[in-house]
Amino acid sequence: MPKYVIEREIPGAGKLTAEQLKAISQTSCGVLSKMGPQIQWVQSYVTTDKIYCIYNAPNEEMVREHAKQGGFPANAVSQVATIIDPTTAE
C-alpha cells in the first residue's frame, strides 16, 4: 500500500499539551475507524509549527478526506517513493 507524508501547518504545534495531543489523536482515530482499514496512521512528528504525519493509504484523495473529516490541515501530501536508512549504505 502506498505511504504518504502529510505536512500540517499548525502554529504553536510544539507547545501543544499532552491533553491537546491526546484529543487530536482521538479525533484522528475516530475518523479512521469510520473510514475503514484501508487507511492507517503510522505515526506523527511534532515540530515547532508543523506536524508531519505518516499514513498508509490507497491514494492521496483518501488522505485528504481524512484531513477534511477530522478538521485537520493537510498543506502538503506527498507519496513516499522510497525509504532509506543507515542500512542503505551497507
Side-chain angles (χ1 to χ4, degrees), residues 4-8 41 43-45 51-55:
Y4 293 88
V5 177
I6 302 98
E7 180 182 85
R8 306 184 192 282
W41 175 25
Q43 65 188 137
S44 296
Y45 302 90
I51 298 179
Y52 297 90
C53 302
I54 310 300
Y55 276 72

Side-chain angles (χ1 to χ4, degrees), residues 10-78:
I10 303 174
K15 294 181 182 179
L16 292 170
T17 66
E19 280 300 311
Q20 289 171 311
L21 292 170
K22 180 178 180 179
I24 290 168
S25 298
Q26 289 172 333
T27 298
S28 179
C29 289
V31 172
L32 289 169
S33 68
K34 291 177 189 171
M35 292 183 73
Q38 64 272 25
I39 181 169
Q40 303 161 346
W41 175 25
V42 178
Q43 65 188 137
S44 296
Y45 302 90
V46 180
T47 66
T48 304
D49 292 313
K50 294 181 182 179
I51 298 179
Y52 297 90
C53 302
I54 310 300
Y55 276 72
N56 295 323
N59 53 57
E60 180 178 334
E61 292 75 24
M62 185 165 270
V63 172
R64 290 194 178 278
E65 181 60 27
H66 171 267
K68 180 181 174 186
Q69 288 187 32
F72 309 120
N75 303 92
V77 177
S78 302

